[in-house]
Amino acid sequence: MNRSLAIEFSRVTEAAALASFAWLGRGNKNAADEAAVSAMRLMLNLIDMKGEVVIGEGEIDQAPMLYLGEKLGKGGGEEVSIAVDPIDGTRMTAMGQSNALSVLAAGGKDTFLRAPDMYMEKLVVGPQAKGMIDLNLSLEQNLRRVASKMGKLLSQLNVMVLSKPRHDDVIAKMHALGVRVFAIPDGDVAGSVLCCLPEGDIDLLYGIGGAPEGVVAAAAIRALGGEMQARLIPRHQVKGDTEENRAIAEEEIRRCQALGVEVNTVLKLEDLVRDDNLVFSATGITTGDLLKGIQRKGNLATTETLVIRGRSRTIRRILSTHYLDRKDTELYRLIGA
């Protein structure tokens, strides 16, 4: 994955973030996601590549999507696999809350796991705790192993988890162990990356979230030398064993079988991301722990983008100023300038 493509992908997440920003705080997460999807698709189709979406977004939230198998790009250049989440934190964008990002990962043809958009259990640590996690063990065992490896007491561990009803018991158990828990409403990609950045202060991320976010985060984790384990979980095991959820789960299982991946089976980082030939790009929509959000004044907007290249393990933060008065462009309409 050459350096020029890394810059192209940073422009993609910038455009998606700017388009979704028009819907910030308006209470309509699907409209925000649709704008981000449209901007991302528009920019990806301007790149000279043979691109294919290998894991997309949208089905869990009943939102528009960049779908599995969609072909993107001008059709020349490299064959590129793309894992996308146009907005990690659609609800946060709609409600004007922090930590919303536009993210994607891109790699070689067979770099990423191919999986449906469904739920995924995730356990993430940074380089200092590599080799100490195992989803086949209890969370308490994992916490104790990580704390021991890092030379910390349990009370000194910082753990990030999504603040969802399904995690209430998990959070209570961690509090009982004395662990410091940072519960976030959405957006576990940022938490995963924070585990692995040299300046990050999160020791471990755990929780059940979306598979697209998991694969995108896995790209950054591999590039930064961290570790992740995950497993795909059918909907009825997460949202309740109702007739509707079981029907959705049966379709998820069928699609997994067609793609050659098993549900409820532990996947290691190398199963999620098979090599280091990759680029990870994330642009802040709203300010959070990982990135600053968009600042706009009239027709000027500033964005902050994190770009990580796998093979060189280069971390770049790109601060960009955008002039939004190009009325002759399709992107102008999407941005809502």
Side-chain angles (χ1 to χ4, degrees):
M1 191 65 56
N2 63 54
R3 189 178 294 107
S4 62
L5 275 179
I7 298 299
E8 294 282 6
F9 291 128
S10 72
R11 295 177 64 233
V12 173
T13 57
E14 285 173 354
L18 287 165
S20 65
F21 186 76
W23 292 94
L24 182 69
R26 298 186 184 276
N28 190 336
K29 69 177 187 177
N30 283 358
D33 202 36
E34 183 176 6
V37 167
S38 297
M40 189 168 272
R41 178 179 285 118
L42 174 68
M43 297 302 289
L44 285 167
N45 278 325
L46 295 177
I47 300 174
D48 190 22
M49 65 175 180
K50 303 180 187 76
E52 180 183 358
V53 176
V54 297
I55 189 159
E57 63 86 50
E59 295 165 9
I60 286 177
D61 293 328
Q62 300 299 308
M65 61 188 294
L66 282 154
Y67 59 86
L68 184 66
E70 182 172 356
K71 305 297 183 182
L72 297 162
K74 292 182 176 180
E78 297 183 41
E79 290 190 74
V80 179
S81 296
I82 304 166
V84 298
D85 192 8
I87 303 179
D88 182 29
T90 53
R91 186 169 65 86
M92 295 186 296
T93 302
M95 301 305 294
Q97 298 172 338
S98 62
N99 272 319
L101 307 171
S102 175
V103 294
L104 71 75
K109 182 179 179 181
D110 298 314
T111 297
F112 302 115
L113 173 80
R114 293 171 181 259
D117 184 4
M118 58 189 294
Y119 285 101
M120 175 183 277
E121 184 180 18
K122 310 162 193 178
L123 185 60
V124 179
V125 292
Q128 288 182 299
K130 195 170 183 177
M132 301 308 293
I133 59 173
D134 185 348
L135 266 181
N136 290 309
L137 302 176
S138 69
L139 180 58
E140 179 177 347
Q141 287 175 295
N142 278 286
L143 292 170
R144 293 189 182 280
R145 285 159 61 98
V146 170
S148 176
K149 175 73 170 182
M150 299 183 73
K152 291 186 173 186
L153 301 173
L154 281 177
S155 60
Q156 295 172 314
L157 278 185
N158 294 331
V159 177
M160 187 166 280
V161 62
L162 291 179
S163 179
K164 303 290 185 182
R166 59 182 174 267
H167 296 143
D168 286 348
D169 289 344
V170 168
I171 293 171
K173 288 177 182 177
M174 287 195 286
H175 281 155
L177 291 168
V179 173
R180 186 182 290 113
V181 178
F182 295 85
I184 57 174
D186 288 293
D188 57 0
V189 172
S192 298
V193 176
L194 285 169
C195 283
C196 302
L197 285 175
E199 69 272 21
D201 58 2
I202 300 300
D203 299 312
L204 181 145
L205 177 135
Y206 172 77
I208 298 171
E213 294 90 340
V215 175
V216 173
I221 293 161
R222 174 148 187 163
L224 294 170
E227 185 175 11
M228 176 178 181
Q229 290 194 3
R231 54 185 153 209
L232 296 166
I233 305 181
R235 187 181 183 91
H236 71 292
Q237 295 178 10
V238 179
K239 301 289 284 185
D241 195 6
T242 65
E243 184 177 345
E244 180 184 2
N245 287 338
R246 183 166 286 277
I248 294 171
E250 289 175 358
E251 176 62 15
E252 290 171 341
I253 293 168
R254 184 196 66 77
R255 293 181 66 197
C256 283
Q257 290 172 340
L259 292 167
V261 60
E262 296 184 18
V263 300
N264 293 316
T265 298
V266 173
L267 301 166
K268 296 184 178 180
L269 183 60
E270 54 267 30
D271 298 316
L272 301 169
V273 182
R274 298 185 181 94
D275 61 57
D276 296 325
N277 182 28
L278 60 88
V279 172
F280 169 90
S281 179
T283 301
I285 300 169
T286 58
T287 296
D289 299 310
L290 184 63
L291 289 163
K292 295 178 181 177
I294 293 170
Q295 301 292 316
R296 181 167 176 178
K297 186 175 181 180
N299 280 329
L300 290 179
T302 59
T303 57
E304 185 181 27
T305 300
L306 177 70
V307 180
I308 304 170
R309 292 186 65 220
R311 285 190 171 166
S312 63
R313 197 171 289 183
T314 304
I315 305 168
R316 289 185 172 88
R317 290 183 181 270
I318 302 172
L319 186 65
S320 303
T321 300
H322 306 266
Y323 288 81
L324 305 179
D325 53 1
R326 290 283 306 281
K327 296 184 180 181
D328 58 326
T329 65
E330 176 69 10
L331 185 58
Y332 174 91
R333 182 187 66 79
L334 293 170
I335 290 172

